[in-house]
Amino acid sequence: MSPARARTSGAAIVTAARELLEDGGLEAVSMAGVAQRVGIRPPSLYKHFGDRSDLLAAVMTDTALDLGRILTDVVERSDEDPTAQLHALAAAYRSFALATPRAAALLFADVAAGATPTLESQAEAVRPVLRVAEAMVGPTKALAAARVLTAFAYGFTSMESAGAFHLGGEVDDAYQLGLSVLAFGLERAAAGTSQEAAR
Amino acid sequence: MSPARARTSGAAIVTAARELLEDGGLEAVSMAGVAQRVGIRPPSLYKHFGDRSDLLAAVMTDTALDLGRILTDVVERSDEDPTAQLHALAAAYRSFALATPRAAALLFADVAAGATPTLESQAEAVRPVLRVAEAMVGPTKALAAARVLTAFAYGFTSMESAGAFHLGGEVDDAYQLGLSVLAFGLERAAAGTSQEAAR
DNA sequence: ACCTGAACACCGTTCAAGT
DNA sequence: ACCTGAACACCGTTCAAGT
């Protein structure tokens, strides 16, 4: 009659799944592996998540929210100019992506059984970028600028983690070059907009 | 005594796998599904590929070689200046990525059972970019510039295909903005290098 | 030389039964 | 309310046997 005490929680399951993901990739995130890690049997997982795809989606959402917190902190703790904030954001993102490469690679992808993070969590992760972009180029071009910056940082770190940069050379320098070029060009695009507005 | 006639080929198997990949994602590329599509039984696939991971790697290599041919054609058929060639390359890459989004998303990723395209095929796909980058910024910065350009185009199209750009706005415009900004900034970086060299 | 059916271990998922 | 063992369909893979 007395209900079985919960031996785990949704949060603990997501944490276990994230650990398995980083250790062994997507295929290592099996219902059996996750269940074992949290100390229950596979069927019990279905009391917490509808199916494996739901669990993977929760992993991605959790990752996106973590990233959002990190990037928000970077922006809020800084009183520098937008360009400096952009460099700080990019550095923080790269650290995050290199610390948890498999989760980061899934953030804006669609390769895991159709699982995707919630739109809100994705928006949360990108919000600080959007904010800095708006400070740099104004509200009209902010969304496009944020997309450009996110695409570069996400693409670069995904490739880096996947080992796609194997021709030698300094990978750090390439990331910095990209950032500098984007920051400079976006400032110039903003100036162009101001000139147009001044006419 | 007479050996069984081959009813399929490695190339036909790879083609079938690519079709299944685009139609239903990675999970749709099952040995059973691929075998059925080429008209043999699953065990026979192991006469052509060591295991599923090998087959996926062949799919990625095939994709990379296709892309390499497309991009090489773009550069070779053009007598424009490097910046115009860069825009042509980027447009061709985006068309490719939107035509076969799942394969394109895997090109520089590491999410499919540890399968990756051969290094040569990856190099083949990127070679035209490296060539145009060198024409723009010179040999010293060519590798870094090519990485920046590839990261942007790959990241952008991966995000676009995954549905990560869901806040409205013109996605085309954002891609063009990124390209213009990168092209302008890289030209400027090249000028900087020339000035240094002139000192 | 390639193809096949049978078999095995494994995985995601369901469900009736337990507390 | 959550957990469990048993069961099912499915998947990747192996292998001896066929031609």
Side-chain angles (χ1 to χ4, degrees), chain A residues 23-43:
Chain A
D23 285 355
L26 261 181
E27 9 154 24
V29 189
S30 65
M31 299 304 266
V34 173
Q36 186 178 28
R37 196 155 185 123
V38 298
I40 62 176
R41 304 284 167 174

Side-chain angles (χ1 to χ4, degrees), chain A residues 107-134:
Chain A
L107 263 188
F108 303 109
D110 180 21
V111 286
T116 44
T118 63
L119 298 188
E120 305 102 275
S121 71
Q122 267 186 344
E124 205 69 43
V126 174
R127 178 163 304 146
V129 182
L130 207 48
R131 187 168 146 187
V132 170
E134 180 165 346

Side-chain angles (χ1 to χ4, degrees), chain A residues 147, chain B residues 94 98 156 160 169-178:
Chain A
R147 282 172 173 164
Chain B
R94 184 147 175 261
L98 294 183
F156 194 98
E160 183 178 10
E170 288 296 328
V171 175
D172 278 15
D173 290 352
Y175 192 67
Q176 290 307 321
L177 173 66

Side-chain angles (χ1 to χ4, degrees), chain A residues 42-124:
Chain A
S44 302
L45 290 175
Y46 294 82
K47 290 291 163 183
H48 300 270
F49 298 94
D51 56 20
R52 181 170 178 266
S53 181
D54 277 0
L55 172 55
L56 291 175
V59 163
M60 296 181 206
T61 295
D62 197 54
T63 304
L65 293 176
D66 276 359
L67 176 59
R69 276 186 287 269
I70 290 171
L71 297 187
T72 299
D73 273 12
V74 166
V75 174
E76 286 185 352
R77 287 191 207 287
S78 161
D79 57 353
E80 300 171 295
D81 62 277
T83 301
Q85 287 189 327
L86 172 59
H87 278 86
L89 273 184
Y93 177 73
R94 184 148 174 260
S95 295
F96 178 83
L98 295 182
T100 61
R102 314 239 201 204
L106 294 181
L107 263 188
F108 303 109
D110 180 21
V111 286
T116 44
T118 63
L119 298 188
E120 305 102 275
S121 71
Q122 267 186 344
E124 205 69 43

Side-chain angles (χ1 to χ4, degrees), chain A residues 27 102 106 108-111 113 119 122 143-145 147-148 150-152 154-156 158-159 162 164-169 171 174 177-178 181-182 184-186 188, chain B residues 27 102 106 108-111 113 119 122 143-145 147-148 150-152 154-156 158-159 162 164-169 171 174 177-178 181-182 184-186 188:
Chain A
E27 9 154 24
R102 314 239 201 204
L106 294 181
F108 303 109
D110 180 21
V111 286
L119 298 188
Q122 267 186 344
L143 181 57
R147 282 172 173 164
V148 167
T150 307
F152 169 70
Y154 172 70
F156 193 98
S158 293
M159 291 181 71
F165 295 148
H166 44 70
L167 296 180
V171 175
L177 173 66
V181 162
L182 288 171
F184 178 80
L186 290 176
R188 180 170 156 275
Chain B
E27 9 156 21
R102 314 239 200 204
L106 294 180
F108 303 108
D110 179 21
V111 287
L119 298 188
Q122 267 187 344
L143 180 58
R147 281 171 173 165
V148 168
T150 308
F152 169 70
Y154 172 70
F156 194 98
S158 294
M159 292 181 71
F165 294 147
H166 44 69
L167 296 179
V171 175
L177 173 66
V181 162
L182 288 171
F184 177 81
L186 290 176
R188 182 171 156 273

